[in-house]
Coordinates of all heavy atoms in Angstrom, one line a residue:
K857 N 27.4 0.1 5.8 CA 27.0 -0.9 4.8 C 26.6 -2.2 5.3 O 25.6 -2.8 4.8 CB 28.2 -1.1 3.8 CG 27.9 -1.9 2.6 CD 29.0 -1.8 1.6 CE 28.9 -2.6 0.4 NZ 27.9 -3.2 -0.2
A858 N 27.3 -2.7 6.4 CA 26.9 -4.0 7.0 C 25.5 -3.9 7.6 O 24.7 -4.8 7.5 CB 27.9 -4.3 8.1
K859 N 25.2 -2.7 8.2 CA 23.8 -2.5 8.8 C 22.8 -2.5 7.7 O 21.7 -3.2 7.8 CB 23.8 -1.2 9.5 CG 22.4 -0.8 10.0 CD 22.2 -1.2 11.4 CE 20.9 -0.7 11.8 NZ 20.5 -1.1 13.1
Q860 N 23.0 -1.8 6.6 CA 22.1 -1.8 5.4 C 21.9 -3.2 4.8 O 20.8 -3.6 4.5 CB 22.6 -0.9 4.3 CG 22.5 0.6 4.7 CD 23.2 1.5 3.7 OE1 23.8 1.0 2.8 NE2 22.9 2.8 3.8
T861 N 23.0 -4.0 4.7 CA 22.9 -5.3 4.2 C 22.1 -6.2 5.1 O 21.2 -7.0 4.7 CB 24.3 -5.9 4.0 OG1 25.0 -5.1 3.2 CG2 24.2 -7.3 3.4
K862 N 22.3 -6.0 6.4 CA 21.5 -6.8 7.4 C 20.0 -6.5 7.3 O 19.2 -7.4 7.3 CB 22.0 -6.5 8.8 CG 21.3 -7.3 9.9 CD 21.8 -6.9 11.3 CE 21.0 -7.5 12.4 NZ 21.5 -7.1 13.7
V863 N 19.7 -5.2 7.3 CA 18.3 -4.8 7.2 C 17.7 -5.3 5.9 O 16.5 -5.8 5.9 CB 18.2 -3.3 7.3 CG1 16.8 -2.8 7.0 CG2 18.6 -2.9 8.7
A864 N 18.4 -5.2 4.8 CA 17.9 -5.7 3.5 C 17.6 -7.2 3.5 O 16.6 -7.6 3.0 CB 18.9 -5.3 2.4
R865 N 18.5 -7.9 4.1 CA 18.3 -9.4 4.2 C 17.1 -9.7 5.1 O 16.3 -10.6 4.8 CB 19.5 -10.1 4.8 CG 20.6 -10.2 3.7 CD 21.7 -11.2 4.2 NE 22.8 -11.2 3.3 CZ 24.0 -10.9 3.5 NH1 24.4 -10.6 4.8 NH2 24.9 -11.0 2.6
Q866 N 16.9 -9.0 6.2 CA 15.7 -9.2 7.0 C 14.5 -9.0 6.3 O 13.5 -9.7 6.4 CB 15.8 -8.4 8.3 CG 16.8 -8.8 9.3 CD 17.0 -7.8 10.4 OE1 16.5 -6.7 10.3 NE2 17.6 -8.3 11.5
L867 N 14.4 -7.9 5.5 CA 13.2 -7.6 4.7 C 13.0 -8.6 3.6 O 11.8 -8.9 3.4 CB 13.4 -6.2 4.1 CG 13.3 -5.0 5.1 CD1 13.6 -3.7 4.4 CD2 12.0 -5.0 5.8
K868 N 14.0 -9.1 3.0 CA 13.9 -10.0 1.9 C 13.5 -11.4 2.3 O 12.6 -12.0 1.7 CB 15.1 -10.0 1.0 CG 15.0 -10.8 -0.2 CD 16.3 -10.7 -1.1 CE 16.1 -11.5 -2.3 NZ 17.4 -11.4 -3.2
Y869 N 14.2 -11.9 3.3 CA 14.0 -13.3 3.7 C 13.2 -13.5 5.0 O 12.9 -14.6 5.3 CB 15.4 -13.9 3.9 CG 16.2 -13.9 2.6 CD1 17.4 -13.2 2.5 CD2 15.8 -14.6 1.5 CE1 18.1 -13.1 1.3 CE2 16.5 -14.6 0.3 CZ 17.7 -13.8 0.2 OH 18.4 -13.8 -0.9
G870 N 13.0 -12.5 5.7 CA 12.2 -12.6 7.0 C 10.8 -13.0 6.8 O 10.2 -12.7 5.7
T871 N 10.2 -13.7 7.7 CA 8.8 -14.0 7.7 C 8.0 -12.8 8.3 O 8.3 -12.3 9.3 CB 8.5 -15.3 8.5 OG1 8.9 -15.1 9.8 CG2 9.2 -16.5 7.9
H872 N 7.0 -12.4 7.5 CA 6.2 -11.3 8.0 C 4.8 -11.8 8.2 O 4.2 -12.3 7.3 CB 6.2 -10.2 6.9 CG 7.6 -9.7 6.6 ND1 8.3 -9.0 7.4 CD2 8.4 -10.0 5.5 CE1 9.5 -8.7 6.8 NE2 9.5 -9.3 5.7
D873 N 4.3 -11.6 9.4 CA 2.9 -11.9 9.7 C 2.0 -10.8 9.2 O 2.2 -9.6 9.6 CB 2.7 -12.2 11.2 CG 3.5 -13.4 11.7 OD1 3.7 -14.3 10.9 OD2 3.9 -13.4 12.8
M874 N 1.1 -11.1 8.4 CA 0.1 -10.1 7.9 C -1.2 -10.4 8.4 O -1.8 -11.5 8.3 CB 0.1 -10.2 6.3 CG 1.4 -9.8 5.7 SD 1.3 -9.9 3.9 CE 0.0 -8.8 3.5
D875 N -1.8 -9.3 9.0 CA -3.2 -9.4 9.5 C -4.1 -8.8 8.4 O -4.3 -7.6 8.4 CB -3.3 -8.6 10.8 CG -4.6 -8.7 11.5 OD1 -5.5 -9.4 10.9 OD2 -4.8 -8.1 12.6
L876 N -4.5 -9.7 7.6 CA -5.3 -9.3 6.4 C -6.7 -8.7 6.8 O -7.2 -7.7 6.2 CB -5.5 -10.4 5.5 CG -4.2 -11.0 4.8 CD1 -4.5 -12.1 3.9 CD2 -3.5 -9.9 4.0
E877 N -7.2 -9.2 7.9 CA -8.5 -8.6 8.4 C -8.3 -7.2 8.8 O -9.2 -6.3 8.5 CB -9.1 -9.5 9.5 CG -10.5 -9.1 9.9 CD -11.5 -9.2 8.8 OE1 -11.4 -10.1 7.9 OE2 -12.4 -8.3 8.7
R878 N -7.3 -6.9 9.6 CA -7.0 -5.5 10.0 C -6.8 -4.6 8.8 O -7.3 -3.5 8.8 CB -5.8 -5.5 10.9 CG -5.4 -4.2 11.4 CD -4.3 -4.2 12.4 NE -3.8 -2.9 12.7 CZ -2.5 -2.6 12.8 NH1 -1.6 -3.5 12.8 NH2 -2.2 -1.3 13.0
L879 N -6.0 -5.1 7.8 CA -5.8 -4.3 6.6 C -7.1 -4.0 5.9 O -7.3 -2.9 5.4 CB -4.8 -5.1 5.7 CG -4.5 -4.4 4.4 CD1 -3.8 -3.1 4.6 CD2 -3.6 -5.3 3.5
R880 N -8.0 -5.0 5.8 CA -9.2 -4.8 5.2 C -10.1 -3.7 5.9 O -10.7 -2.9 5.2 CB -10.0 -6.1 5.1 CG -11.2 -6.1 4.3 CD -11.9 -7.5 4.2 NE -11.0 -8.4 3.4 CZ -10.5 -9.6 3.8 NH1 -10.8 -10.0 5.0 NH2 -9.8 -10.3 3.0
R881 N -10.0 -3.8 7.2 CA -10.8 -2.7 8.0 C -10.2 -1.4 7.8 O -10.9 -0.4 7.6 CB -10.7 -3.1 9.5 CG -11.7 -4.2 9.9 CD -11.8 -4.3 11.4 NE -10.6 -4.3 12.1 CZ -10.0 -5.4 12.5 NH1 -10.5 -6.6 12.3 NH2 -8.8 -5.3 13.1
E882 N -8.8 -1.3 7.7 CA -8.2 0.0 7.5 C -8.5 0.6 6.2 O -8.7 1.8 6.0 CB -6.7 -0.1 7.7 CG -6.2 -0.3 9.1 CD -4.7 -0.4 9.3 OE1 -4.0 0.0 8.3 OE2 -4.3 -0.8 10.3
L883 N -8.6 -0.2 5.2 CA -8.8 0.2 3.8 C -10.3 0.5 3.6 O -10.7 1.0 2.5 CB -8.3 -0.7 2.8 CG -6.8 -0.9 2.8 CD1 -6.4 -2.0 1.8 CD2 -6.1 0.4 2.5

Side-chain angles (χ1 to χ4, degrees):
K857 186 168 175 27
K859 172 94 176 179
Q860 290 175 349
T861 303
K862 178 182 176 184
V863 170
R865 282 193 184 120
Q866 287 175 342
L867 290 173
K868 185 175 182 180
Y869 299 114
T871 58
H872 304 286
D873 294 330
M874 293 179 60
D875 187 358
L876 296 177
E877 188 59 39
R878 180 176 168 218
L879 178 63
R880 190 173 291 122
R881 283 192 310 264
E882 286 181 16
L883 295 176

